[in-house]
Amino acid sequence: MREVNMSTKYDPTAVEAGRYQDWLDNKLFAPEANKAIQGNEPEPYSVVIPPPNVTGKLHLGHAWDTTLQDMLIRQKRMQGFDTLWLPGMDHAGIATQAKVEQRLRAEGISRYDLGREKFVEQVWDWKNEYASTIKKQWGKMGLALDYSRERFTLDKGLNEAVNKVFIDLYNKGLIYRGEYIINWDPQARTALSDIEVIYQDDEGAFYHVKYPFTDGTTLDGKDYIEIATTRPETIFGDVAVAVNPTDERYKDIIGKTVKVPLVGREIPIIADEYVEKDFGTGMVKITPAHDSNDFQVGNRHNLERINTMTEDAHMNENAGKYEGLDRFEARKAMVADIEAAGEMLKVVPYVHSVGHSERTGVAIESRLSTQWFVKMEPLAKQILAMQQNEDEKVNFVPGRFEDTFTRWMENIRDWVISRQLWWGHQIPAWYKNKGTDQEEIYVGEEAPGEDWVRDEDVLDTWFSSALWPFSTMGWPNNLDEDFARYYPTNTLVTGYDIIFFWVARMMFQGKEFTGERPFKNVLIHGLIRDGEGCKMSKSLGNGVDPMDVIEKYGADALRWFLATGSTPGQDVRFTYEKMDAAWNFINKIWNASRYVIMNLEEDTVARIPDKAKLSLADKWILDRLNKTVKEVTDNFDKFEFGEAGRDLYNFIWSDFADWYIEMTKESLNGDGDKTAVQETLAYVLDQTLRLLQPIMPFMAEAIWQEMPQQAGKDAHLGIQAYPVYKKELENEEAAASFKSLQDLIVAVRTIRAEAKAPMSKEIDVMIKVKDANLVAIFNDNADYIQRFVKPKSLTIAEDVEVPDLAMSQVITGAEVYVPLAGLIDIAAEIERLEGELAKFEKEVKRGQGKLSNEKFVSSAPEAVVAKEKGKLADWQEKAESTKKRLADLKRA
């Protein structure tokens, strides 16, 4: 046996040590490395990484996302594509600024104490710290990223792209500035887009308040109207009360005026169809500066807009004596004063859905504010039209997510893109005489002259992320070599939770500025959940650090679990039991490979031997390998990685390790020529490791490097050719013959187990063959039967005299008997056979029912019908044989 440098137990720490750095040192992840496989001019295949936020460490969701991308890139490189996987990170605007401000608050400092310039320096320090951590984590995962092309959403090139897009959209009339009601985060003091707001049920109340008529009017005998509000703190912004114009109850009071409680301001009662007659009292107060619907009503009726709060949600000068109070403190004080004035009718507890900032968690405010917006309708229409063209569209996998995307695009609202932050792309807009009647606005990278002041706001982080697929490739320089070669990208891999945040925005920006889709496919995966199905989160304490998992099980075990744990679009549950199973599988591969390599010669070549020298087992394993190559490749192409994993698992664990390797021991331990079996073992192992390399790169590389190498062969598996299906390896005859041999061996082992007869117990085996071809198959492979069955005597014939006392198994084309006089419990054997007969008769009934269905017979493909007929005949034969054996035993 050859000496190998492989431990008897898989040790991921030893296997992974230094390997990633070796790959980097040899520049295996740069597109130039692809020429080692194909040379000439290979077809490009590119993926851009969804840039992780520099807000912290990577979590299991990132590990899942990047594992799938890595598998695609590694496989495509081995298939001869010119691959590029471009890495990078996102500055993450509000999220990162919030993290740094939180750290400063712990030190008793605010960003305003530092000033903009020094605060931004602090954020860059944070970015550098966490970017370094993220890159180390990428390395631990083994990601095949081309770091020479790494980008950051705030780097100089991306800033140029962002400025161009903003300026061009502005000049096209697709970006505008206006005063609107927007979502406002009072902690971060910035605007939010609709999809940055998370709704949750909060306990509140409906406060029913009197609004007295000003002219002595009465309604139902009362000199006031009843208004219910959940937010008394906005009362100082009330400018009207509205009723539905078709509401007969209130037709006579339209045009009357009432007084606002605590304020005394006189406001009109107006009619507007916005009001729902059947909700509450059918009357609502209108506060245009603090509600988006009221804002629209106010525009229709030319109502004043009165803002009652500061940027940090404290009451302002318009709130009278409550000025300076926090909004919720003001609510309590105002409710107490309304009650004291006798103007509170009742307070009804109420649980309602309240918007909260996705980043800071505080309740948002609907705030009247001047912001920058993208006009979305024209851009959305362009994308919806693109999706109708099969040659231009982005293909969603699974397809159901396109429906989700389409519904959102059809109902999209304008996108507020300005953020009142200091960390981000500063808006390229300039003002002269800002805030006066003579205000002028200029949009451009540089000020048009003196006395122009730049807009202090920055852009929503998703504005720059939306350009990621093409801005990272050198755009707007359309002559850039990377942009010309690798754009559009091939596949985007991301979670379903950011289809609206990111996928949709990349699509409309890509189409608008490059004229093409940004990626051909978007593979949507689900979320990582804990073993109980709960979403992982810090608050629940159920999060799992992928680096901790790698420390215990190794990167490849984690990758295997993530790659094969679910189907596209579905969530996956993480448990340590699944990780144990993943490690056990790798250990099985490791030990099987170790045995193979130990039994090869130094000059053994991994190749298909002369067919004349192949045994039945050799032909069978080559056929199974060939089918597995096709199945795995087809499933990768469909992004069905879970199915590809099952194909590999079944082939490696059962076919290769449990059957073929065991069968080769007869030849390897004998005195004859071992070359053919050694070459077959080497070839199958080599091809299997190539199939595994995209999923388990560390382990596959380590084993492959221990194999006898051909002269001049490069020592890196990741740049070898990926296996391809070979027509010449098809061998249905060998597959069928070997299946019969397997059935025979399993049948005898089953009999031994049921009779509690160990392999050391001598038994006679009698095979009554109905298919004459099986006589030759079994005789030609008697050595295998001897090794796996251990018979004292072996009888193979069409005419076998079966003793009365025997256990039996029926296989396709034969009956297997083991005389066990003195060992068998006849009653128990009769009971077992009756159970077998019931199973066979059930299958016969099912088959007969299916074939008696005229619709099935007439509409199903001819091959399918023929297959069903064959299965029925097989079950009928087994049933008849079992009946006969039962009759014999009952006579004994």
Side-chain angles (χ1 to χ4, degrees):
M1 283 191 170
R2 287 177 73 242
E3 288 189 11
V4 295
N5 185 30
M6 295 177 69
S7 60
T8 56
K9 182 179 178 182
Y10 179 64
D11 179 0
T13 302
V15 166
E16 294 169 14
R19 201 167 299 278
Y20 190 71
Q21 189 59 48
D22 177 55
W23 293 336
L24 293 180
D25 292 344
N26 284 278
K27 297 182 170 55
L28 299 189
F29 305 150
E32 292 72 25
N34 302 311
K35 294 178 181 177
I37 302 170
Q38 182 163 314
N40 301 324
E41 190 61 28
E43 182 182 345
Y45 190 97
S46 59
V47 172
V48 290
I49 199 168
N53 295 346
V54 288
T55 48
K57 300 175 182 179
L58 300 181
H59 52 65
L60 267 181
H62 290 117
W64 188 11
D65 198 79
T66 52
T67 293
L68 299 183
Q69 295 168 71
D70 195 47
M71 287 160 51
L72 286 172
I73 283 293
R74 286 178 176 275
Q75 187 211 38
K76 292 299 180 184
R77 176 176 293 119
M78 294 179 75
Q79 287 178 327
F81 287 83
D82 175 13
T83 56
L84 169 62
W85 189 14
L86 191 146
M89 301 178 204
D90 197 318
H91 68 282
I94 186 173
T96 306
Q97 179 158 323
K99 289 281 189 181
V100 176
E101 288 197 82
Q102 183 180 21
R103 178 188 279 182
L104 290 175
R105 276 197 299 274
E107 300 171 7
I109 305 172
S110 78
R111 59 168 155 150
Y112 302 102
D113 295 328
L114 293 175
R116 184 167 190 152
E117 186 176 338
K118 289 192 177 299
F119 175 77
V120 170
E121 287 177 6
Q122 292 265 337
V123 188
W124 274 109
D125 289 343
W126 173 285
K127 178 265 176 186
N128 293 333
E129 175 186 344
Y130 280 94
S132 175
T133 298
I134 288 169
K135 288 181 74 168
K136 289 175 184 174
Q137 290 179 304
W138 282 345
K140 292 288 285 184
M141 289 291 300
L143 305 186
L145 294 159
D146 180 9
Y147 292 105
S148 70
R149 288 170 165 85
E150 183 180 352
R151 304 302 299 269
F152 181 56
T153 53
L154 265 182
D155 68 28
K156 184 175 182 293
L158 266 72
N159 183 247
E160 291 173 358
V162 165
N163 285 339
K164 175 173 174 54
V165 167
F166 186 96
I167 294 165
D168 286 0
L169 287 176
Y170 178 81
N171 290 334
K172 292 177 182 179
L174 293 174
I175 280 183
Y176 63 93
R177 184 170 178 262
E179 189 177 48
Y180 289 88
I181 288 288
I182 49 89
N183 304 305
W184 184 263
D185 181 331
Q187 180 171 306
R189 301 188 193 184
T190 184
L192 302 173
S193 66
D194 290 343
I195 53 179
E196 290 173 304
V197 178
I198 306 298
Y199 287 87
Q200 66 185 49
D201 288 342
D202 285 358
E203 291 184 3
F206 265 125
Y207 300 91
H208 293 253
V209 183
K210 293 179 182 179
Y211 280 59
F213 287 106
T214 58
D215 60 359
T217 297
T218 61
L219 179 68
D220 297 330
K222 300 171 183 175
D223 63 354
Y224 61 84
I225 60 172
E226 180 179 341
I227 296 294
T229 179
T230 59
R231 306 185 66 220
E233 65 272 20
T234 64
I235 281 176
F236 281 91
D238 291 354
V239 294
V241 169
V243 299
N244 191 289
T246 64
D247 195 331
E248 291 294 323
R249 295 174 294 174
Y250 305 131
K251 64 179 181 178
D252 293 334
I253 63 170
I254 295 172
K256 300 289 186 179
T257 59
V258 292
K259 284 186 179 180
V260 179
L262 302 179
V263 184
R265 184 170 58 249
E266 189 173 333
I267 61 173
I269 298 174
I270 62 174
D272 195 282
E273 291 183 351
Y274 155 67
V275 183
E276 297 179 35
K277 291 188 292 184
D278 299 327
F279 184 77
T281 62
M283 290 185 284
V284 296
K285 70 188 193 72
I286 302 301
T287 316
H290 292 281
D291 183 275
S292 57
N293 292 313
D294 291 5
F295 177 78
Q296 298 297 332
V297 173
N299 285 351
R300 288 194 288 272
H301 297 270
N302 296 313
L303 299 175
E304 184 183 4
R305 302 164 182 165
I306 303 174
N307 187 1
T308 67
M309 291 187 201
T310 61
E311 289 184 351
D312 60 352
H314 286 67
M315 308 309 292
N316 67 14
E317 68 278 4
N318 292 322
K321 70 174 187 177
Y322 308 101
E323 182 179 359
L325 288 180
D326 169 80
R327 54 183 165 165
F328 299 122
E329 293 174 356
R331 178 184 298 180
K332 292 177 184 177
M334 292 169 72
V335 166
D337 288 348
I338 292 171
E339 289 176 336
E343 294 181 330
M344 183 71 74
L345 293 167
K346 58 183 175 180
V347 178
V348 181
Y350 177 65
V351 176
H352 58 145
S353 182
V354 176
H356 290 252
S357 169
E358 180 197 32
R359 296 302 181 186
T360 64
V362 301
I364 64 158
E365 283 293 331
S366 293
R367 176 180 171 83
L368 182 66
S369 179
T370 301
Q371 302 287 343
W372 289 93
F373 294 82
V374 174
K375 192 179 294 183
M376 287 304 306
E377 186 179 359
L379 296 169
K381 284 182 176 178
Q382 187 173 234
I383 288 301
L384 291 171
M386 181 185 81
Q387 289 302 100
Q388 299 303 309
N389 187 322
E390 288 298 323
D391 294 329
E392 293 184 359
K393 69 178 293 189
V394 171
N395 300 301
F396 282 77
V397 182
R400 68 179 184 274
F401 286 108
E402 182 168 1
D403 296 333
T404 304
F405 164 81
T406 299
R407 283 194 300 273
W408 187 70
M409 292 298 281
E410 287 173 342
N411 298 285
I412 200 165
R413 295 170 58 181
D414 286 357
W415 172 22
V416 56
I417 55 172
S418 46
R419 297 290 182 270
Q420 289 64 55
L421 304 172
W422 291 350
W423 174 246
H425 292 275
Q426 195 168 351
I427 291 173
W430 306 80
Y431 303 95
K432 193 170 186 179
N433 303 316
K434 188 176 182 181
T436 70
D437 294 339
Q438 288 77 42
E439 180 179 277
E440 297 179 60
I441 300 176
Y442 171 77
V443 171
E445 293 194 40
E446 302 291 339
E450 294 183 1
D451 301 324
W452 288 82
V453 178
R454 187 165 187 174
D455 195 314
E456 292 188 355
D457 289 351
V458 301
L459 288 163
D460 178 10
T461 191
W462 297 104
F463 192 91
S464 52
S465 300
L467 317 182
W468 187 251
F470 56 93
S471 63
T472 54
M473 300 279 191
W475 187 91
N477 178 9
N478 290 352
L479 298 179
D480 186 281
E481 186 176 339
D482 280 356
F483 180 79
R485 180 153 184 76
Y486 298 111
Y487 186 86
T489 62
N490 291 78
T491 301
L492 174 76
V493 181
T494 192
Y496 60 63
D497 54 332
I498 58 171
I499 291 176
F500 309 138
F501 284 100
W502 194 42
V503 177
R505 288 167 174 168
M506 282 190 288
M507 287 172 65
F508 71 69
Q509 295 285 45
K511 179 65 174 174
E512 175 69 18
F513 286 95
T514 71
E516 297 182 84
R517 58 190 171 184
F519 27 79
K520 296 173 184 175
N521 306 297
V522 54
L523 173 60
I524 304 292
H525 60 74
L527 303 177
I528 295 276
R529 298 185 180 275
D530 67 13
E532 302 302 315
C534 297
K535 184 178 178 180
M536 289 186 175
S537 69
K538 289 182 180 178
S539 60
L540 292 175
N542 62 349
V544 174
D545 187 336
M547 298 303 112
D548 291 342
V549 179
I550 290 174
E551 186 71 25
K552 183 176 181 181
Y553 295 96
D556 285 337
L558 177 60
R559 288 171 64 107
W560 175 259
F561 159 71
L562 294 171
T564 62
S566 77
T567 56
Q570 298 299 311
D571 294 344
V572 65
R573 294 188 181 191
F574 175 89
T575 67
Y576 282 101
E577 289 77 12
K578 291 178 180 178
M579 290 307 308
D580 288 336
W583 184 89
N584 286 335
F585 178 47
I586 296 178
N587 195 51
K588 177 85 169 182
I589 299 169
W590 183 264
N591 285 320
S593 302
R594 183 174 181 272
Y595 173 82
V596 169
I597 296 170
M598 287 170 63
N599 282 280
L600 302 180
E601 305 296 338
E602 289 296 338
D603 59 352
T604 298
V605 179
R607 64 185 176 192
I608 303 168
D610 183 344
K611 287 186 178 181
K613 297 180 180 180
L614 295 175
S615 68
L616 174 62
D618 297 336
K619 294 173 184 175
W620 169 76
I621 197 65
L622 290 171
D623 177 72
R624 284 294 304 123
L625 170 67
N626 204 37
K627 286 185 173 72
T628 302
V629 168
K630 186 176 189 308
E631 290 161 357
V632 170
T633 304
D634 289 348
N635 280 316
F636 257 72
D637 289 345
K638 294 183 292 186
F639 305 112
E640 292 282 359
F641 302 123
E643 291 301 313
R646 278 181 277 280
D647 296 332
L648 282 165
Y649 184 92
N650 292 335
F651 172 74
I652 294 167
W653 194 291
S654 178
D655 297 338
F656 188 48
D658 286 356
W659 281 100
Y660 182 68
I661 288 178
E662 287 301 314
M663 288 191 158
T664 62
K665 291 178 180 178
E666 194 69 30
S667 299
L668 294 172
N669 293 331
D671 297 326
D673 185 5
K674 304 172 187 177
T675 304
V677 71
Q678 288 174 322
E679 289 181 350
T680 303
L681 276 168
Y683 178 76
V684 174
L685 179 56
D686 171 88
Q687 295 292 290
T688 301
L689 293 172
R690 293 176 190 228
L691 289 174
L692 286 170
Q693 192 275 153
I695 309 175
M696 303 177 178
F698 292 105
M699 180 273 299
E701 177 89 80
I703 295 173
W704 189 81
Q705 288 187 351
E706 290 297 324
M707 295 181 67
Q709 300 296 303
Q710 298 174 5
K713 180 185 282 188
D714 194 293
H716 292 99
L717 178 59
I719 55 173
Q720 305 306 311
Y722 196 74
V724 294
Y725 183 76
K726 294 179 171 65
K727 183 76 174 173
E728 65 271 19
L729 290 183
E730 284 184 8
N731 200 325
E732 293 304 324
E733 181 181 347
S737 297
F738 196 83
K739 176 67 166 59
S740 297
L741 191 61
Q742 284 179 305
D743 288 347
L744 168 61
I745 293 167
V746 170
V748 178
R749 285 179 167 179
T750 301
I751 290 171
R752 278 188 176 277
E754 290 173 349
K756 296 182 173 56
M759 290 296 284
S760 59
K761 181 76 176 178
E762 291 187 341
I763 61 172
D764 295 317
V765 177
M766 307 173 73
I767 306 169
K768 186 175 182 178
V769 179
K770 296 182 179 180
D771 182 347
N773 291 327
L774 290 182
V775 176
I777 292 170
F778 292 155
N779 281 323
D780 289 346
N781 293 280
D783 287 348
Y784 292 136
I785 298 172
Q786 289 287 342
R787 178 175 182 82
F788 283 88
V789 171
K790 304 288 186 186
K792 182 173 70 171
S793 66
L794 178 64
T795 304
I796 304 169
E798 291 183 70
D799 185 18
V800 173
E801 186 175 341
V802 181
D804 290 334
L805 293 177
M807 292 187 72
S808 65
Q809 285 279 322
V810 178
I811 64 174
T812 302
E815 298 165 28
V816 182
Y817 299 97
V818 176
L820 291 175
L823 294 178
I824 187 172
D825 180 336
I826 294 178
E829 176 64 359
I830 288 173
E831 184 180 354
R832 185 189 71 80
L833 286 174
E834 285 177 338
E836 288 284 287
L837 179 59
K839 181 180 74 174
F840 295 153
E841 288 180 334
K842 182 179 178 181
E843 290 297 331
V844 168
K845 186 176 180 181
R846 184 201 64 79
Q848 288 174 333
K850 198 165 189 178
L851 290 169
S852 65
N853 184 334
E854 292 185 10
K855 186 176 180 182
F856 168 73
V857 175
S858 60
S859 61
E862 194 173 314
V864 173
V865 175
K867 185 176 181 181
E868 281 298 323
K869 288 180 178 178
K871 286 161 64 176
L872 175 60
D874 186 30
W875 289 119
Q876 287 173 327
E877 180 186 320
K878 289 177 178 177
E880 288 304 314
S881 297
T882 304
K883 282 180 185 177
K884 185 175 181 302
R885 184 62 189 146
L886 269 170
D888 292 341
L889 279 177
K890 287 176 180 179
R891 285 195 300 270

